[in-house]
Amino acid sequence: MKILVPIKRVADPDNANKVKISGDGTEVTSEGLEWKMNPFDEWSLEAALRLTEDGKTKSRVGEVVVVSIGPKDAVATIRQGLAMGAERGILVEGEDKKLDALVVAKILQKIVEKENPDLVVLGKQTVDGDSNLVGTYLAEFLGWPVANYATSIRTSDDGKTLTIVRELDTGAATLEVKGPAVITTSDRILHPHAVKNGVTPDDFAYPESEGGRYASLKGIMAAKKKPVEETSAAALGVDAAPQVSYVSFKLPPARSGSTTFVESAAELVQKLRNEAKVL
Amino acid sequence: MIEWSEQHKQIRAMVRRFIETEIVPKREALEFGDTPPYDVLRKMLATFGIGEMNKAMFLKALEKEKRGEGTASLESSGKGGPAAADARAMQMIPIIELCRHSPGMVTALGVSIGLTAGAIMKRGTTAQKERWVPPLLTLEKVGAWAITEPGSGSDAFGSMKSTARRDGDGYVLNGSKTFITNGPYADTIVFICKLDEGNPEHERKILSFVLDKGMPGLVQSPPLRKMGLHASPTGELFLEDVRVGKDRLLGETEDQPARSSAKETFTAERTGVAAMALGIVERCLELSVDYAKNRVQFGRPIGEFQLIQLKLAKMEIARMNLQNLVFRQIELAGAGRELSLAEASAGKLYAAQAAMEVALEAVQLFGGNGYMAEYQVEQLCRDAKVLQIYGGTDEIQVSQIARSLLA
């Protein structure tokens, strides 16, 4: 099975409180912040790696190609994916400012047409833009089925048929999907039994984790030698311009940060109702 | 010029994530609850494949040694090159990262792998290496290196009382050791003592033996209470008529260059302190900058006061110097060279003092909060002090530097 995993680098979400807004309020500046792989993408990459390996023997049985769209140094994020275990990388050079969900989906469409993967697995959203659009747009452009917010994926025939559980506000829905397909994943995809591929024994449990797998030292060294193809939107024949423009940004109000100790639950309720006015 | 490469940064990010997920939440238990550090260290070695990688490398080298091609160790071939520089950098990054939160972990790990396995790799016979080294490299077994005694610290060899007496084909060992890192839990112990042939003490040969936990006559004390470095268990060892065969005598010969071998060990031990100090200083600086920006007194963040700025500036200078010391070591490894004992001593002296000064200033900058255990600078300050004491005190480093200058 071959899986394409689009990954985006985002400003370290653990330091989101350090994000600043430019003087004219039209731009979020992330100067001085470290770049990290969008957590949702990291989790989708973990799901893709689980789909293409024998989890028990740790041997690869399929191929994962990671693709990122961004400036040249986004290649570091691709290398991180390769260090985790992906086989190849593709960097589509582009300026962050000139990308929106539509442009990204159009570029990905071209990559999919070139690579012919069995599946595209991506995070349900990025933690910077939060628009939750790319997966759905991409499926529409490809004419493929899409399953959003997947919490589990099961296949036994290299993704030709998939059983996917989606988490909804009202409960869980189980879908049967014919591949090739687009799947967007939620954090629950990291559950020890969330991904079954028919190769890893069904009773095998992955370790409990709040993130994708750690790259081993060996993996990090090997990633240096794995191929990363560089291309651009123009070379792919995509000339879309972003259709969304951001007018202004505003930071949330600073928190007061004061702490009050209460004696009882009743007092807590009373304070939340009368002082904080949140109940 | 040396800078951290993209790959180094990746390793740093991975190790940092592991530490923040696996070690930071266990701080209470490790710091105040006598929880030994080995489980989490084992998990770290396994997660990053470090233990298995070292073991595979060592076993390959051991096969070569058996065919008569060189001696098996984990040290670089001495030829240098970018790979050797990279290997050194990858060795130092986890040390720096661990020291940001738990210098004790580095001590426990370093003593087990660097000192104990290191001593056996350096002086052991092929059979001894095969018997004791592989499980030490993955921390499946915990190692201790026992030289210090109640009456012998800085004057390690001169005042050493522990003895080995010949007894048939083997030896009988006696003595007591103290301040032994990993002592309470060690499975494999390198015990350093003097061969008692009835000759004057200062003429006696220095011998090293490898002991296993549970041998009759060997007692390992519970952990000693100490000022800091709580994540690293320290204990005493008592030997009363411990009988050993010649197979436990390191190198299986009484003619060991034990003094020079211990000196090589000191060089290695001292070299690692720059990376440890860098981790402590980086973290203290990071916490201090954050505090200076957010702590408001007299209506403004304390970072706007010049006395606070001076502290931060001095911390940054120490951080830069320490990073340069670390880069120098990477550069030397790339050139296929090692620090001399005097250079290692100078680096260690500076690094230990810088870490102590920075950590004390961090506590001062945090004021009352800095004195509270809740704020991490309190722990780092207690931990930093040991750097001026172990691996040779500041005073011993000074004499080592002076001796080489005046030679």
Side-chain angles (χ1 to χ4, degrees), chain A residues 16-192:
Chain A
N17 58 340
K18 292 186 182 156
V19 166
K20 293 191 180 71
I21 287 173
S22 64
D24 58 2
T26 59
E27 243 184 285
V28 174
T29 60
S30 34
E31 262 166 56
L33 287 183
E34 292 215 4
W35 296 106
K36 279 200 172 168
M37 194 187 294
N38 173 39
F40 285 100
D41 295 342
E42 184 189 309
W43 305 335
S44 68
L45 174 56
E46 176 62 32
L49 290 169
R50 289 184 190 182
L51 281 167
T52 50
E53 71 181 0
D54 182 333
K56 195 158 186 185
T57 62
K58 305 270 171 251
S59 50
R60 304 283 302 143
V61 297
E63 186 185 12
V64 170
V65 180
V66 286
V67 54
S68 195
I69 308 168
K72 256 207 160 26
D73 53 358
V75 78
T77 309
I78 292 179
R79 294 268 174 226
Q80 192 191 330
L82 299 177
M84 284 168 69
E87 273 71 21
R88 281 193 298 126
I90 301 171
L91 173 67
V92 184
E93 267 193 73
E95 225 184 298
D96 284 329
K97 261 191 258 175
K98 293 185 179 158
L99 300 168
D100 65 3
L102 189 86
V103 181
V104 169
K106 288 208 157 153
I107 292 171
L108 291 178
Q109 178 195 2
K110 293 290 176 190
I111 302 274
V112 169
E113 285 167 4
K114 237 175 97 195
E115 291 285 335
N116 284 315
D118 300 293
L119 289 176
V120 178
V121 182
L122 65 167
K124 70 184 173 80
Q125 69 198 85
T126 56
V127 295
D128 52 0
D130 276 324
S131 61
N132 300 46
L133 288 171
V134 171
T136 313
Y137 275 160
L138 175 63
E140 173 66 18
F141 295 154
L142 291 167
W144 288 10
V146 59
N148 283 325
Y149 313 147
T151 56
S152 82
I153 306 170
R154 175 183 285 269
T155 179
S156 54
D157 55 4
D158 278 353
K160 287 178 194 69
T161 53
L162 300 139
T163 307
I164 290 162
V165 177
R166 300 179 58 212
E167 203 166 80
L168 308 168
D169 282 347
T170 47
T174 303
L175 275 67
E176 265 199 25
V177 177
K178 294 255 178 267
V182 176
I183 304 171
T184 72
T185 58
S186 82
D187 52 346
R188 300 276 295 275
I189 204 71
L190 296 174
H191 186 273

Side-chain angles (χ1 to χ4, degrees), chain B residues 32-213:
Chain B
F32 307 110
D34 282 338
T35 304
Y38 311 111
D39 281 346
V40 65
L41 283 171
R42 248 174 236 133
K43 189 168 180 186
M44 178 168 152
L45 292 183
T47 299
F48 297 106
I50 300 173
E52 286 305 321
M53 199 164 76
N54 283 345
K55 192 167 145 183
M57 254 166 69
F58 173 74
L59 289 176
K60 216 168 120 187
L62 197 67
E63 284 312 308
K64 272 191 165 175
E65 178 176 307
K66 284 183 190 165
R67 294 196 302 267
E69 304 161 26
T71 41
S73 76
L74 281 181
E75 282 167 23
S76 57
S77 55
K79 287 191 212 107
D86 235 13
R88 179 60 58 90
M90 285 195 227
Q91 208 177 19
M92 299 185 107
I93 292 165
I95 296 179
I96 299 168
E97 290 304 313
L98 275 171
C99 280
R100 289 163 56 91
H101 293 280
S102 183
M105 292 251 171
V106 173
T107 307
L109 188 67
V111 166
S112 196
I113 296 182
L115 290 190
T116 313
I120 302 173
M121 280 191 271
K122 198 159 268 169
R123 297 289 163 217
T125 63
T126 307
Q128 288 173 331
K129 291 182 191 181
E130 194 162 26
R131 179 170 170 192
W132 284 296
V133 172
L136 285 172
L137 295 180
T138 54
L139 216 63
E140 184 191 319
K141 291 208 167 157
V142 174
W145 189 77
I147 186 164
T148 302
E149 298 181 0
S152 88
S154 295
D155 181 20
F157 296 118
S159 320
M160 187 179 283
K161 295 275 177 242
S162 293
T163 57
R165 274 184 292 105
R166 292 195 194 97
D167 179 51
D169 281 349
Y171 299 86
V172 175
L173 311 179
N174 279 286
S176 49
K177 297 284 179 185
T178 192
F179 310 149
I180 306 306
T181 297
N182 296 334
Y185 301 96
D187 303 294
T188 307
I189 298 161
V190 171
F191 173 77
I192 301 167
C193 59
K194 284 184 174 172
L195 178 63
D196 178 1
E197 302 172 278
N199 50 346
E201 273 189 33
H202 68 274
E203 285 175 11
R204 292 177 184 176
K205 289 176 178 169
I206 305 283
L207 302 180
S208 304
F209 291 87
V210 187
L211 309 177
D212 292 320
K213 185 182 204 156

